[in-house]
Amino acid sequence: MASTLAIVVSLILLMYLAYRGITVLLLAPLMAALAVLLSGEIGIFLPIYTDTFMKALGGYVMQFLPIFLLGALFGQLMADSGAAHSISQWIVNKLGERHAIITVVLACGILTYGGVSLFVVAFAIYPIARDLFQAADIPKRLIPATIALGSFTFTMTALPGTPAIQNAIPIPYYGTNVFAAPGLGIIAGAIMLGLGLWWLQSRASRARLAGEGYGQHVEADDDTPANGAATPNSALSHMPLLLAILPLVLVVGVNALFTYVVFPGMDMSFITERFPHLEPSRIAGLWALIIALAVACCVLVVSRLGRWTNLRATVNKGVFGFMLPLFNTASEVGYGAVIAGLAGFAIIRDAVLNVTPHNPLISEAIAMNVLAGITGSSSGGLSIALQTLGADYLRMAQEVGISPELLHRVAVLAAGGFDTLPHCGAIITLLSICKLTHRQSYLNIAAVTMGGPFIALVSVITLGTLFGSF
């Protein structure tokens, strides 16, 4: 009982202190140490730290470093090449200020589904959204929710093939790929998008009836992102549309080609002979995503040769940008591994697994949602849950005839639910970019990033239970 209480206390403190802005890189080992101390096992913390915490952290880094690195590099190349600007500007020109909300959502959705980092998208789209909302006289307080709907929901967790890290994390645990349960993913994405747009449009209509316009806001003259993300210069901002879209198509297309054609048609025996402990079928999904991102990056670089103002600076900025997100998530995985090794975790694990023993999808959804909410991170919560419970869920699913693909999609959808509680780092960053506060905008952010995704998750669990994965 004392060990279980120690886990609960450390989790609450992790959530509170992360909300106060303390880095998870420091919090994760400290809160793991606190849980061990309160459990009465402080004498062996150093062995736990070096053998459990660091081994789990290192294993996560080894597995996902290429995805984080290539994803961050691709996002920076898309931003600095002018490709992101060209795509978003084309959507604006086609839809215009009359459809300001759907214009911003689609611009964010296309870019994030193509593999551009949600932070890069937020920085790139905010100036466009600000001008559109001002011209349409829609309250500025709705901009963060609009960007969040396009960046943090259906393209992050639902649409098949999305290269978001959340969609890659379950692959080595379940032996799946990023296209897992494509039909259910499309249904979930449509629900999130439809409900989110309905909510935002209804809030805008209500504001219009109340006589509320864009509002009086002091806008900074300099739109250079606080994190140094480059704004496309005039020479690169006119990238031809087809050339700008090509890298996004390649991310999804090359991924699908290797997932469904190349790797299934290959004789993998030469790999297993050299690496007897490796199961190619369980890791091929990650290989396909790595190849797709690498190809897209190369195409972006080559297509703009002679037109880069400082390609070396762009590459360095992209590469350096992956480190903090990777090690934040890896530290949370290390924390989860320590917690899973404590005696009190068995009580928590059994309670979660026995919520619905004949339908592990419900139990899985609860576990992912709770841990994503506690950590304020969909990738962090998903990683901790799969590190500690993934093997149990796979076993339970096999016993009742549930496919790993359905487990994958439910896990990812659930991780994208309560991850956007107020202490979420992405939400804090988004509000900072938009120069707004939680009080002004958080209710609408919560509605589109938690309300719609929850309904989508319930729908997928229901359909998956009745008809299986499709």
Side-chain angles (χ1 to χ4, degrees):
M1 184 64 181
S3 182
T4 303
L5 182 60
I7 293 171
V8 173
V9 170
S10 72
L11 283 171
I12 291 173
L13 283 174
L14 177 66
M15 179 170 61
Y16 172 76
L17 294 173
Y19 176 66
R20 302 296 298 177
I22 299 177
T23 174
V24 173
L25 288 174
L26 180 62
L27 278 180
L30 286 180
M31 292 303 102
L34 178 64
V36 173
L37 171 63
L38 295 178
S39 298
E41 301 182 50
I42 190 61
I44 58 170
F45 173 70
L46 286 177
I48 288 177
Y49 177 75
T50 54
D51 192 65
T52 303
F53 184 93
M54 289 306 300
K55 185 179 289 185
L57 183 152
Y60 187 88
V61 170
M62 289 175 61
Q63 202 159 56
F64 292 107
L65 185 148
I67 306 297
F68 277 89
L69 188 155
L70 290 170
L73 176 59
F74 178 67
Q76 197 65 54
L77 289 170
M78 283 291 293
D80 287 7
S81 67
H85 178 79
S86 295
I87 293 170
S88 57
Q89 198 59 55
W90 177 78
I91 296 171
V92 169
N93 293 337
K94 288 295 181 182
L95 297 178
E97 65 189 47
R98 285 197 312 117
H99 305 287
I101 290 175
I102 192 170
T103 297
V104 173
V105 171
L106 289 179
C108 293
I110 290 172
L111 291 173
T112 50
Y113 185 58
V116 182
S117 161
L118 57 89
F119 294 106
V120 172
V121 170
F123 280 120
I125 295 298
Y126 168 67
I128 296 171
R130 181 190 63 198
D131 294 343
L132 282 173
F133 276 54
Q134 199 163 13
D137 207 26
I138 298 172
K140 183 186 177 182
R141 60 184 174 82
L142 294 179
I143 291 180
T146 306
I147 293 175
L149 175 61
S151 304
F152 300 177
T153 59
F154 61 99
T155 58
M156 186 178 81
T157 62
L159 295 187
T162 176
I165 186 61
Q166 292 81 357
N167 198 31
I169 289 172
I171 292 173
Y173 297 97
Y174 295 152
T176 50
N177 58 63
V178 292
F179 295 92
L184 290 170
I186 291 171
I187 291 171
I191 291 172
M192 292 183 200
L193 177 60
L195 290 178
L197 286 174
W198 168 79
W199 176 269
L200 292 171
Q201 296 285 12
S202 67
R203 296 308 96 183
S205 297
R206 177 174 292 186
R208 189 176 299 110
L209 290 174
E212 179 187 358
Y214 180 79
Q216 298 295 319
H217 300 277
V218 177
E219 304 287 359
D221 294 329
D222 181 13
D223 285 328
T224 301
N227 74 341
T231 300
N233 59 49
S234 57
L236 295 180
S237 62
H238 301 296
M239 188 174 185
L241 180 64
L242 291 179
L243 198 58
I245 291 176
L246 178 61
L248 306 186
V249 174
L250 286 174
V251 170
V252 179
V254 172
N255 194 344
L257 177 66
F258 277 84
T259 297
Y260 292 113
V261 180
V262 177
F263 287 146
M266 286 179 62
D267 180 5
M268 298 284 191
S269 59
F270 72 97
I271 295 178
T272 54
E273 289 173 5
R274 180 75 181 273
F275 304 95
H277 300 295
L278 185 66
E279 295 182 54
S281 61
R282 296 184 66 85
I283 205 73
L286 285 180
W287 292 346
L289 184 54
I290 290 169
I291 293 170
L293 287 170
V295 168
C297 287
C298 291
V299 168
L300 261 172
V301 170
V302 172
S303 67
R304 305 300 276 170
L305 281 179
R307 302 199 66 186
W308 293 98
T309 54
N310 194 337
L311 178 58
R312 182 178 61 184
T314 293
V315 171
N316 286 344
K317 191 180 297 180
V319 171
F320 294 153
F322 91 94
M323 295 182 185
L324 185 59
L326 172 62
F327 280 93
N328 275 342
T329 308
S331 293
E332 290 172 338
V333 171
Y335 168 81
V338 172
I339 295 300
L342 298 178
F345 181 75
I347 299 173
I348 297 173
R349 181 196 62 211
D350 292 342
V352 172
L353 294 177
N354 290 324
V355 170
T356 50
H358 300 295
N359 191 346
L361 298 176
I362 298 175
S363 170
E364 182 186 49
I366 293 172
M368 304 299 167
N369 260 307
V370 169
L371 285 169
I374 289 171
T375 59
S377 166
S378 53
S379 58
L382 184 61
S383 298
I384 293 173
L386 290 176
Q387 176 79 18
T388 54
L389 299 171
D392 292 308
Y393 285 129
L394 185 59
R395 173 185 52 77
M396 292 170 66
Q398 290 170 342
E399 289 173 355
V400 296
I402 292 175
S403 74
E405 288 74 20
L406 183 53
L407 274 181
H408 176 125
R409 188 54 54 209
V410 168
V412 177
L413 288 170
F418 291 160
D419 62 315
T420 49
L421 288 172
H423 63 288
C424 170
I427 296 302
I428 294 170
T429 301
L430 177 59
L431 289 171
S432 174
I433 293 169
C434 297
K435 304 174 183 66
L436 292 166
T437 66
H438 280 78
R439 178 173 295 182
Q440 291 171 305
S441 298
Y442 182 71
L443 175 62
N444 291 298
I445 294 174
V448 300
T449 62
M450 289 194 284
F454 178 77
I455 295 173
L457 174 62
V458 172
S459 301
V460 166
I461 291 175
T462 303
L463 291 171
T465 301
L466 292 175
F467 305 108
S469 178
F470 59 89

